[in-house]
Amino acid sequence: MNLRWIDPVELVEHELTQQEDEGRDVTVFRQRWRTALSANPPAGELRRIADSLLNELGSPGEFPTRVELVTRLPAPHGLVPPAVVPENRIAGGWFGRAAGCILGKPVEGMSRQVIRQILESNGTWPLADYITQKGIPPELLREHPWNRHGGSESLRENIVCVTEDDDMNYPMVNLAVLESFGRDFSTQQVATTWLGMLPVLTTFTAERVAYLNLLNGLVPPETATHRNPYREWIGAQIRGDIFGWISPGNPRVAATLACKDARLSHVRNGIYAEMFVAAMVAAACVIDNPRDVVEAGLRAIPSDSELARAISFALSLPDAESTWEKGVDRLYERFGRYHWVHAINNAALVAAAILYGKGDFEQSICNVVMGGWDTDSNGATVGSIVGTMIGQKRLPARWINPLNNKIRTSLKGFDNSAISALAERTCALASTSRQGNDALKN
């Protein structure tokens, strides 16, 4: 049996690329791997060779991404926690995240060019509603089928609720972490929560490797580095929203909480991506300007990181390119070498979509899904941030009503939850921990 994301044959290719990104010369290892592939050995022998190469490549040492790193960053300017919990904005974030996730789900894994081809085939390009299958030539769908993880259920004509998706699971997992352990939770307590309520095959990339590492007796932060070539991919980026919602107006506290969560499975830019999103959500709870929100997120991550440089590039795009499509062209020129679920390219696309969307919910989520890469994750994140920024009452009904205020999941105790109830529980957490001082403790 070959389980995706943890098979040694799959891990080797990604580990070689990851170590190259980290500055290591792996030329000899790559040549040995190419030689092995060209010999076309039996599957078992190839897996043994891959396993041996992974042992030789080893795991990187610990990266300087502990929680104390965040506390040394300058506090964002001009943001003040609100006098009362912004319930409308937090609810807007939950509903916005759900809508954006469902919008991007059918085309997850498709290239930007294929997404456009499919939508043009039935006259729905540029995207302005949930994706529909009506009018798409059958031969095109046979060549490019919908995402098998709930893609068909997320088509406009089939939506009855929010189908299970990791982009919606993790906000609920972290809601459980916060309700059980409070804001001074540890990374190990996040791990315990995963093992207790998160089915392993609902995890992907870095999270699946970290899960396996936990089962093998490893503890954080080694769970993020041991045989984990996905350690700077997008997985943590989809887990940070709730830390922003419970820290309204305080991006630094939100980023600190996100860092503790992310280090279970990620390092460096993978961690910074979750910090970036959490900080943006915290800012979106109190401010209305998209550029200010993105800049608040940028100030919450190390300025010399590759992710910070990518976000800065995204911030420059609206002045350089007047149209969204040209802006995305520039992003692909700059970051197209990364895997479609890497953190850096997707975070830059998220930032750009927020900027070009100018606070318009529909335009923002449609832009980011048309931009390709990890469409459901990016749709969810942009939907969350813009939904938080404008609040539930201003979300367009045609994006929210089809969800019927219900979410499906295999998480223990959360299936068939009302989205509004999840928002209420989040508001309760924000209400009981507004001062946030304990969040700076590790």
Side-chain angles (χ1 to χ4, degrees):
M1 181 171 63
N2 179 8
L3 287 179
R4 186 79 195 276
W5 307 117
I6 56 176
D7 185 88
V9 174
E10 186 176 16
L11 293 175
V12 163
E13 283 286 352
H14 294 310
E15 183 62 43
L16 289 168
T17 299
Q18 177 61 31
Q19 292 204 16
E20 285 176 335
D21 285 346
E22 293 166 359
R24 183 178 179 185
D25 183 359
V26 296
T27 304
V28 172
F29 292 99
R30 190 174 287 283
Q31 184 57 51
R32 286 171 56 189
W33 181 237
R34 287 173 179 163
T35 300
L37 290 173
S38 64
N40 195 28
E45 176 63 14
L46 185 62
R47 189 171 291 113
R48 186 196 64 77
I49 294 170
D51 192 69
S52 178
L53 276 174
L54 285 168
N55 286 338
E56 290 186 60
L57 283 165
S59 298
E62 188 171 342
F63 292 92
T65 46
R66 292 184 177 276
V67 175
E68 56 264 26
L69 178 148
V70 191
T71 66
R72 297 198 298 268
L73 297 174
H77 301 292
L79 293 181
V80 179
V84 296
V85 173
E87 296 179 358
N88 178 51
R89 294 202 185 206
I90 291 172
W94 270 104
F95 279 99
R97 183 170 187 82
C101 177
I102 293 301
L103 174 63
K105 198 172 179 67
V107 294
E108 181 188 13
M110 296 182 187
S111 70
R112 178 187 175 203
Q113 292 76 19
V114 168
I115 293 170
R116 180 163 188 162
Q117 181 185 8
I118 287 174
L119 297 179
E120 285 183 337
S121 75
N122 68 349
T124 58
W125 178 275
L127 194 58
D129 201 343
Y130 287 114
I131 294 170
T132 178
Q133 185 169 298
K134 294 178 180 178
I136 299 177
E139 61 272 16
L140 186 58
L141 287 177
R142 283 194 294 269
E143 184 179 0
H144 303 291
W146 306 120
N147 172 29
R148 63 188 180 91
H149 296 290
S152 295
E153 293 86 347
S154 301
L155 295 172
R156 188 192 313 170
E157 53 269 27
N158 298 333
I159 298 172
V160 296
C161 65
V162 181
T163 59
E164 176 158 24
D165 190 274
D166 58 333
D167 296 285
M168 297 306 299
N169 277 348
Y170 286 112
M172 292 186 281
V173 169
N174 282 331
L175 176 60
V177 169
L178 291 163
E179 288 179 334
S180 296
F181 305 108
R183 293 162 67 102
D184 60 346
F185 67 89
S186 68
T187 306
Q188 185 60 55
Q189 287 168 330
V190 176
T192 300
T193 305
W194 282 21
L195 295 174
M197 67 182 293
L198 185 62
V200 65
L201 293 184
T202 61
T203 64
F204 304 92
T205 63
E207 284 74 16
R208 186 171 293 183
V209 174
Y211 204 119
L212 177 63
N213 285 337
L214 287 169
L215 293 175
N216 285 329
L218 301 182
V219 297
E222 193 177 2
T223 47
T225 57
H226 181 70
R227 290 197 174 196
N228 191 352
Y230 318 114
R231 52 190 175 267
E232 295 192 70
W233 286 24
I234 199 175
Q237 186 172 313
I238 68 176
R239 294 169 12 208
D241 300 59
I242 196 166
F243 302 126
W245 290 326
I246 69 164
S247 310
N250 202 331
R252 184 174 135 182
V253 168
T256 303
L257 297 170
C259 184
K260 291 197 292 182
D261 173 68
R263 64 195 293 265
L264 173 57
S265 54
H266 287 74
V267 302
R268 294 195 310 187
N269 295 296
I271 291 179
Y272 306 150
E274 182 171 349
M275 293 163 55
F276 172 63
V277 169
M280 284 197 291
V281 172
C285 284
V286 296
I287 56 180
D288 303 311
N289 184 281
R291 176 168 287 271
D292 290 345
V293 167
V294 175
E295 289 179 347
L298 177 60
R299 286 194 296 268
I301 63 176
S303 60
D304 61 348
S305 64
E306 186 62 30
L307 186 72
R309 287 188 284 271
I311 302 308
S312 295
F313 179 78
L315 279 162
S316 73
L317 282 178
D319 291 333
E321 301 291 352
S322 60
T323 68
W324 170 244
E325 285 300 309
K326 290 182 178 179
V328 178
D329 287 342
R330 294 281 300 279
L331 288 171
Y332 272 74
E333 291 169 7
R334 184 75 169 259
F335 306 112
R337 71 180 182 85
Y338 289 106
H339 193 279
W340 66 272
V341 287
H342 201 281
I344 289 173
N345 51 345
N346 284 289
L349 183 64
V350 162
I354 294 168
L355 295 167
Y356 277 90
K358 298 179 181 178
D360 183 296
F361 180 79
E362 179 175 300
Q363 192 66 62
S364 300
I365 60 173
C366 288
N367 275 353
V368 82
V369 169
M370 289 188 294
W373 287 327
D374 198 340
T375 52
D376 64 331
S377 295
N378 293 337
T381 299
V382 171
S384 170
I385 292 166
V386 179
T388 302
M389 193 166 58
I390 68 174
Q392 181 186 6
K393 294 176 182 178
R394 291 174 55 198
L395 288 174
R398 68 193 188 94
W399 288 100
I400 304 306
N401 290 350
L403 306 179
N404 290 310
N405 193 24
K406 187 171 82 171
I407 187 166
R408 299 303 309 271
T409 181
S410 57
L411 300 176
K412 292 181 181 178
F414 281 89
D415 193 29
N416 288 309
S417 289
I419 304 171
S420 58
L422 297 173
E424 289 169 4
R425 290 164 66 177
T426 305
C427 289
L429 288 169
S431 179
T432 58
S433 54
R434 284 175 49 214
Q435 62 274 40
N437 291 332
D438 57 346
L440 299 180
K441 301 175 183 176
N442 187 0

